[in-house]
Amino acid sequence: MTPAALGPGVTAHLASEETLSAFGGDPWWITTIKALAIFVFLMICVLMMIMADRKVMGRMQQRHGPNRMGPFGLFQSLFDGIKLSLKEDLIPRGVDRFVYIAAPMIAAVPAFIAFSVIPIGPEVNLFGVITPLQLTDLPVAALVVLATAALGVYGFVLGGWASQSPYALLGGLRASAQVISYEIAMGLSFVAVFIMSGTLTTSGIVESQRGLWFAVLLLPSFLIYLVTMVGETNRLPFDLAEGEGEIVGGFMTEYGSMKFTMFFLAEYVNMCTVAAVSVTLFLGGWLAPPGIAAILPGANEGWWPALWWLLKFVCVMFLFIWARGSLPRVRYDQLMKLGWKVLIPIQLVWITAVAVVRMLVLDGASPLVVGVVIAAFTAATVAAFAAWLRHVRRERAEEARQRAENARRAHREPAFGGFPVPPSAAPHYGSSVLAEPPRTAPAAADRNKKGEEVTGA
């Protein structure tokens, strides 16, 4: 029986398994070279991203960025790392030392592991050995990314808990709640990609985008992924886990020197990882942009694909800088509301539509039936969006009415809306001194009379 006779779903599965045949046969020294190349690439990306963060935001804010250390300030990030490594390493009294020291490493290591399944190019000749520009691939490689992202948050939570500081604990709790809510939406974005590609291998997902990138075919999933990847990495406008205006420094409040550097490194390596995942799952991976392959023969062969991958990667990384320099920090309730009440419901409806349309196409349904189903989902989506807009307008009208009522009450009652003030006769918190008895008008009059008798007034 031929693969075609088994059905289109089985054929797609067999095609995805063929992409794994290129892995597992490399010599140990080739594997070591690729692993070291990934580590060096990520470290250089961190240094360059920190510098780009400062330079680009400096231009956006009409000021100069780093321009002293090295030509054009290129060595500023390097010297910052040296400065942090030379600072005195202090451990606060009373902390859980083992967990306190292990937390930064728990946060940083999973981010490096996730990059091992990212395809950067096709098979190339590396020192006489034909090998793919990817460390490894697995039948569930895309789930490895989600698993490592879930493990990384343990470092933030444990760091906040072990610090024995209320601000650090609040930051760790915020990080856990934020990652849970936004990782669900991120995983749902992956589901639509799995449905269309028919595989969970990252190399197979890239191959399935040769005709059309999933960023175009699955545009809602791509846009939601861009939002969730910012929330996953605790970057502005979603940096509530380390909001200095509310909780000092969040889970990093009690850390300094190299331990602080490890948390900082984990944040930027996570940025590199989620950007690389977006390129792999939605932007065609290492495939050349549309039109390039027709103009440049061999654009998807040899070492050229690594250049296309790098250009896409840089464009996605720029989005992090643009968002940080343009958008204000949201409130925590707004952050949770966006994740649970907006992104996740939209993803559930979208995945249902993608699954139904994909099933009809694989079953050979007529274009008319597929068009009717798409039109029905579109109409239902538009109706739901209109109902949501009406609900938002009612909420805003109610909020405006409440604000007007509060303003009228504040005008009539000067004490309305102020901070609660404890009574002057209340005992001090934690003090054994009894409260002073209330001063009544007769007692005050008796004291005045006694004063007059003593002075002879």
Side-chain angles (χ1 to χ4, degrees):
M1 181 179 292
T2 62
L6 297 175
V10 178
T11 305
H13 175 71
L14 294 176
S16 67
E17 294 300 325
E18 290 178 359
T19 61
L20 297 177
S21 60
F23 299 93
D26 292 338
W28 66 268
W29 54 275
I30 288 290
T31 303
T32 303
I33 290 175
K34 291 197 287 188
L36 288 176
I38 290 175
F39 178 78
V40 172
F41 173 78
L42 288 176
M43 295 302 295
I44 293 176
C45 277
V46 169
L47 293 177
M48 299 305 295
M49 184 61 185
I50 295 173
M51 188 272 293
D53 241 346
R54 297 172 172 179
K55 298 286 281 188
V56 175
M57 285 194 298
R59 297 298 181 183
M60 293 174 71
Q61 298 166 359
Q62 296 183 357
R63 60 178 175 82
H64 290 290
N67 58 2
R68 292 292 186 269
M69 297 298 180
F72 308 105
L74 293 177
F75 295 158
Q76 181 67 51
S77 301
L78 177 62
F79 283 101
D80 284 343
I82 296 174
K83 175 193 69 175
L84 286 172
S85 63
L86 295 178
K87 281 190 172 183
E88 185 178 4
D89 190 6
L90 300 176
I91 298 180
R93 186 186 299 114
V95 303
D96 189 325
R97 292 180 64 91
F98 176 77
V99 179
Y100 179 84
I101 295 173
M105 293 181 284
I106 296 174
V109 171
F112 286 92
I113 297 176
F115 215 91
S116 62
V117 297
I118 301 298
I120 301 176
E123 292 186 349
V124 297
N125 189 335
L126 185 63
F127 300 110
V129 177
I130 303 300
T131 180
L133 287 178
Q134 182 178 355
L135 181 58
T136 187
D137 202 356
L138 302 169
V140 290
L143 299 184
V144 172
V145 178
L146 290 176
T148 53
L151 287 175
V153 73
Y154 280 93
F156 303 145
V157 177
L158 293 176
W161 175 79
S163 297
Q164 297 294 317
S165 168
Y167 294 117
L169 181 59
L170 283 174
L173 293 176
R174 283 186 175 189
S176 61
Q178 183 171 330
V179 168
I180 289 172
S181 60
Y182 280 79
E183 196 166 322
I184 292 175
M186 177 182 289
L188 293 176
S189 298
F190 289 5
V191 170
V193 174
F194 301 156
I195 292 173
M196 295 304 298
S197 62
T199 179
L200 273 69
T201 64
T202 51
S203 56
I205 291 173
V206 172
E207 288 293 336
S208 62
Q209 299 181 70
R210 284 189 177 272
L212 184 65
W213 293 356
F214 288 153
V216 179
L217 191 61
L218 303 173
L219 182 60
S221 292
F222 176 59
L223 295 178
I224 292 177
Y225 177 81
L226 293 180
V227 177
T228 58
M229 77 176 186
V230 178
E232 184 81 8
T233 54
N234 296 324
R235 289 273 296 187
L236 269 169
F238 301 145
D239 65 335
L240 277 302
E242 52 191 78
E244 68 278 359
E246 305 168 13
I247 50 176
V248 186
F251 55 87
M252 297 188 294
T253 299
E254 302 296 334
Y255 282 90
S257 187
M258 286 303 296
K259 298 182 183 65
F260 174 82
T261 307
M262 290 293 288
F263 275 124
F264 207 62
L265 178 68
E267 176 182 335
Y268 277 87
V269 173
N270 276 322
M271 289 167 52
C272 297
T273 301
V274 297
V277 170
S278 70
V279 172
T280 302
L281 267 60
F282 295 100
L283 298 177
W286 45 263
L287 295 174
I292 298 292
I295 300 174
L296 182 63
N300 291 325
E301 301 174 1
W303 292 88
W304 279 106
L307 175 62
W308 314 134
W309 182 90
L310 184 61
L311 292 176
K312 300 173 188 177
F313 175 78
V314 171
C315 291
V316 177
M317 293 294 284
F318 174 78
L319 293 178
F320 284 105
I321 306 176
W322 173 83
R324 181 178 180 182
S326 303
L327 303 176
R329 179 183 294 129
V330 300
R331 294 198 317 264
Y332 193 72
D333 62 315
Q334 295 173 334
L335 175 75
M336 293 292 102
K337 183 178 180 181
L338 176 65
W340 289 100
K341 294 186 177 182
V342 178
L343 299 183
I344 293 177
I346 291 176
Q347 282 284 43
L348 292 174
V349 174
W350 170 247
I351 290 173
T352 304
V354 171
V356 170
V357 172
R358 180 65 173 170
M359 181 186 65
L360 293 174
V361 171
L362 292 178
D363 289 343
S366 65
L368 179 61
V369 174
V370 176
V372 169
V373 171
I374 293 176
F377 271 107
T378 303
T381 302
V382 171
F385 184 71
W388 178 73
L389 285 180
R390 288 195 299 270
H391 175 69
V392 170
R393 291 194 189 98
R394 285 197 297 267
E395 281 190 342
R396 291 181 178 177
E398 179 62 23
E399 291 176 359
R401 188 195 63 78
Q402 188 64 35
R403 284 196 300 267
E405 177 63 23
N406 292 341
R408 283 193 295 271
R409 289 191 61 185
H411 183 71
R412 293 194 303 264
E413 307 170 25
F416 174 77
F419 289 101
V421 179
S424 59
H428 294 288
Y429 178 75
S431 174
S432 59
V433 180
L434 297 177
E436 182 182 354
R439 297 184 180 183
T440 60
D446 291 342
R447 282 197 301 271
N448 292 336
K449 185 176 180 180
K450 291 180 180 180
E452 292 175 358
E453 292 175 356
V454 171
T455 58

